């Protein structure tokens, strides 16, 4: 069997279209019902997807007036999903700017134990400046400083997860020895941002550490991914853009002495499905007509750093605003390139980004969506995709019922799970402890998990 796609369900409250909550097909009344999300995860698991992904941010969005911009705390959420599922991976966001390494390491180790090896960490530095005031800071740390801190944060967390070697838990009732302390190590870290003694008070988890996921596409973000990431979430509007990013990030990985095959590139795609292409496009138009310009203009103002007050929605985007727009962020550049390439009106720009905040939106038949996924996958643009349903649950149910079977019939996606951990699903190595003399996994790995109560 050849190389196969990796597919995640990206769960966003209500769905990924900004106006999804207004559409009669959405289940807005269940947005705070954990059973709703458990059912979605179970549906994704039945379709044999690799993982569910849940995004987070440590501040209330200032546009919550117009859209479902609240957050449920992800570790609580993912733990509830873990006990309702058996195989599907569990990826959650945690900020290196507004957490401490010891707490983050405990939380992810606990999630990996609870789920029997299905945890993944979406590593973010947090872009929302207003978050600072929620943590007693006068201002948000600068971009470069946040990435410098993140680099040390990840290294400290790695030491903490490694501080228990495989086989450290003995549980020998005869000798009275529960743990082999020669295999438990203080990390004694002292760096620029953190001072952590260790060891972690949680034994080594089934995966050794969670899968490292990263989503920043700035120069700092890509450099960080090249050093640390095992999967990269990214946004692209065209095959050519995705191919360029794919080649770049794989080269950065190799330049850091790592195997590029141990890093997966997973763009987002938000599909609108119909029995004909026209039906799919009409469905998207239904959602776009529910958008509120105030919301979309606020998003554009944030992305481009320009004053959009008084713009005429049905005229071309003002060229003087394009000339003065900021270009610091990767998502900002994506917006600017799209406007210039297609000469869009302001309303068209709002609709284009209403569907998935800059990720690829595609409307068509199930076969056309499968064709597009296959085209990117087979032409050096993606190792798989984050599926971003426009609304929930129907937007995902249609994909699971109608697109996944096509991909399976083409031999591009699994029909059954062959592993139990997220690392196994993604085809990633399980790292050994850096404190182990051999530096490799041993047969005691399985024994530890059995002793600690994990199912086989």
């Amino acid at each position: 069997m050849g190389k196969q796609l990796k597919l995640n369900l990206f769960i966003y409250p209500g769905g990924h279209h900004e106006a999804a909550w207004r559409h009669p097909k959405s289940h807005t009344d269940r947005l705070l019902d954990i059973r709703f999300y458990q059912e979605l995860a179970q549906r994704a698991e039945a379709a044999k997807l690799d993982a569910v992904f849940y995004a987070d941010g440590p501040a209330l969005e200032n546009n919550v007036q117009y859209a479902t911009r609240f957050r449920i705390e992800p570790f609580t959420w993912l733990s509830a999903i873990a006990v309702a599922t058996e195989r599907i991976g569990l990826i959650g966001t945690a900020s290196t700017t507004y957490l401490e390494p010891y707490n983050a390491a405990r939380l992810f180790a606990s999630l990996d134990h609870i789920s029997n090896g299905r945890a993944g960490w979406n590593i973010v530095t947090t872009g929302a400046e207003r978050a600072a005031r929620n943590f007693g800071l006068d201002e948000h740390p600068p971009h470069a400083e946040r990435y410098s801190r993140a680099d040390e944060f990840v290294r400290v967390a790695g030491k903490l997860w490694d501080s228990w070697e495989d086989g450290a838990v003995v549980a020998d009732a005869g000798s009275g020895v529960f743990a082999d302390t020669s295999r438990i190590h203080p990390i004694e870290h002292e760096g620029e941002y953190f001072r952590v003694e260790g060891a972690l008070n949680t034994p080594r988890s089934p995966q050794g550490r969670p899968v490292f996921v990263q989503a920043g596409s700035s120069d700092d973000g890509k450099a960080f991914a090249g050093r640390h990431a095992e999967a990269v979430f990214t946004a692209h509007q065209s095959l050519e853009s995705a191919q360029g990013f794919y080649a770049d990030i794989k080269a950065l990985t190799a330049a850091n002495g790592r195997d590029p095959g141990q890093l997966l590139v997973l763009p987002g795609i938000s599909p609108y499905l119909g029995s004909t292409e026209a039906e799919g496009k009409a469905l998207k138009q239904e959602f776009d007509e529910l958008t509120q310009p105030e919301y979309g203009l606020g998003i554009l103002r944030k992305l481009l750093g320009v004053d959009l007050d008084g713009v005429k929605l049905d005229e071309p985007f003002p060229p003087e605003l394009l000339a003065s727009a900021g270009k610091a962020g990767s998502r900002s550049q994506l917006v600017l390139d799209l406007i210039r390439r297609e000469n869009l009106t302001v309303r068209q720009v709002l609709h284009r980004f209403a569907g998935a905040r800059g990720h690829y939106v595609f409307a068509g038949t199930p076969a056309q969506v499968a064709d597009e996924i296959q085209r990117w996958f087979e032409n050096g643009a993606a190792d798989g995709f984050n599926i971003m349903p426009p609304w929930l649950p129907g937007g995902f149910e249609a994909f699971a019922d109608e697109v996944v079977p096509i991909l399976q019939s083409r031999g591009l996606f699994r029909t059954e799970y062959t592993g139990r951990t997220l690392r196994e699903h993604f085809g990633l190595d399980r790292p050994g402890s850096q404190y182990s003399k051999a530096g490799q996994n041993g047969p005691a790995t399985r024994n530890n998990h059995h002793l600690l109560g994990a199912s086989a």
Side-chain angles (χ1 to χ4, degrees):
M1 183 178 295
K3 180 182 175 183
Q4 293 198 318
L5 284 158
K6 312 302 178 187
L7 297 176
N8 304 323
L9 169 59
F10 184 170
I11 297 181
Y12 198 86
H16 286 273
H17 193 286
E18 68 185 48
W21 67 275
R22 302 184 68 195
H23 198 281
K25 290 184 177 181
S26 294
H27 287 198
T28 309
D29 59 322
R30 300 193 68 193
L31 294 184
L32 292 172
D33 180 356
I34 192 59
R35 292 169 297 183
F36 177 57
Y37 300 108
Q38 288 173 328
E39 290 163 11
L40 282 168
Q42 289 167 345
R43 187 69 187 81
E45 187 169 72
K48 312 305 178 188
L49 265 62
D50 293 85
V52 294
F53 166 49
Y54 194 72
D56 186 49
L60 178 65
E61 299 284 353
N62 56 15
N63 49 17
V64 71
Q65 176 183 357
Y66 301 111
T68 53
R69 302 290 280 167
F70 62 83
R71 294 288 187 270
I72 298 173
E73 192 283 312
F75 289 99
T76 307
W77 190 93
L78 289 168
S79 295
I81 302 302
V83 298
T85 55
E86 294 183 359
R87 295 289 189 93
I88 197 160
L90 308 166
I91 302 172
T93 298
S95 171
T96 57
T97 303
Y98 295 110
L99 277 175
E100 290 289 321
Y102 198 91
N103 283 339
R106 287 190 71 201
L107 288 165
F108 276 110
S110 298
L111 178 63
D112 207 45
H113 279 297
I114 289 168
S115 65
N116 294 331
R118 296 184 280 142
W121 177 14
N122 179 41
I123 305 167
V124 302
T125 64
T126 300
E129 293 187 4
R130 62 192 169 278
R133 293 185 292 277
N134 292 336
F135 295 87
L137 301 180
D138 293 329
E139 60 184 19
H140 194 47
H143 188 272
E145 180 182 326
R146 297 201 310 274
Y147 271 101
S148 177
R149 175 187 166 103
D151 189 83
E152 184 179 341
F153 191 116
V154 170
R155 288 187 285 110
V156 175
K159 291 178 181 179
L160 288 167
W161 288 315
D162 288 351
S163 65
W164 287 67
E165 295 181 43
D166 291 319
V169 176
V170 178
D172 185 343
S175 68
V177 175
F178 180 77
D180 179 353
T181 54
S182 70
R183 296 188 178 189
I184 303 172
H185 307 274
I187 70 168
E188 299 175 340
H189 176 89
E190 292 193 19
E192 181 178 359
Y193 300 97
F194 306 109
R195 187 174 63 194
V196 182
E197 182 178 20
L200 195 64
N201 62 352
T202 307
R204 191 163 176 82
S205 72
Q207 293 188 114
R209 69 180 190 205
V211 172
F212 286 175
V213 181
Q214 190 264 354
S217 295
S218 65
D219 288 343
D220 285 335
K222 288 191 291 186
F224 181 89
R227 291 191 299 272
H228 300 294
E230 296 171 293
V232 173
F233 296 163
T234 184
H236 296 280
Q237 291 287 322
S238 68
L239 173 68
E240 293 73 22
S241 172
Q243 286 172 322
F245 178 86
Y246 187 97
D248 190 26
I249 203 70
K250 295 281 186 172
L252 281 170
T253 306
N256 279 279
R258 300 175 56 210
D259 176 4
Q262 290 289 296
L263 181 142
L264 305 174
V265 179
L266 305 172
I269 184 170
S270 188
Y272 293 77
L273 294 168
S275 59
T276 64
E277 182 178 348
E279 277 189 15
K281 291 181 177 179
L283 178 63
K284 181 182 182 302
Q285 185 63 28
E286 281 183 30
F287 283 86
D288 287 346
E289 289 175 356
L290 295 174
T291 59
Q292 300 172 87
E294 295 88 348
Y295 177 88
L297 288 171
I299 296 292
L300 280 184
R301 187 179 298 111
K302 178 181 176 182
L303 281 173
L304 302 180
V306 296
D307 184 3
L308 297 170
D309 291 339
V311 298
K312 296 181 179 180
L313 297 182
D314 293 310
E315 292 186 1
F317 204 95
E320 66 274 13
L321 293 185
L322 283 179
S324 63
K327 301 180 182 180
S330 57
R331 196 66 60 89
S332 303
Q333 192 60 51
L334 185 152
V335 177
L336 293 170
D337 290 346
L338 181 66
I339 294 170
R340 291 182 174 123
R341 185 171 62 248
E342 300 187 21
N343 194 31
L344 299 174
T345 67
V346 176
R347 191 183 303 276
Q348 287 172 328
V349 176
L350 298 183
H351 285 176
R352 186 67 65 92
F353 286 86
R357 305 174 306 285
H359 290 273
Y360 188 39
V361 173
F362 189 89
T365 66
Q368 287 174 323
V369 172
D371 288 346
E372 192 69 355
I373 288 173
Q374 183 172 358
R375 186 168 75 99
W376 284 42
F377 178 58
E378 293 183 343
N379 287 280
D383 295 305
F385 287 86
N386 273 331
I387 308 305
M388 304 171 66
W391 83 99
L392 294 170
F396 176 64
E397 291 172 342
F399 182 87
D401 291 342
E402 300 175 33
V403 179
V404 169
I406 296 173
L407 298 172
Q408 291 172 328
S409 70
R410 296 177 183 179
L412 297 172
F413 190 63
R414 69 171 66 85
T415 56
E416 295 293 339
Y417 289 112
T418 56
R420 289 190 171 273
T421 71
L422 179 55
R423 289 188 172 279
E424 289 172 329
H425 299 341
F426 275 176
L428 300 173
D429 295 339
R430 181 184 187 273
S433 168
Q434 60 192 279
Y435 297 104
S436 169
K437 291 180 181 179
Q440 298 177 348
N441 309 320
T445 299
R446 289 188 297 274
N447 295 338
N448 270 5
H449 303 154
H450 174 71
L451 289 169
L452 294 168
S455 60

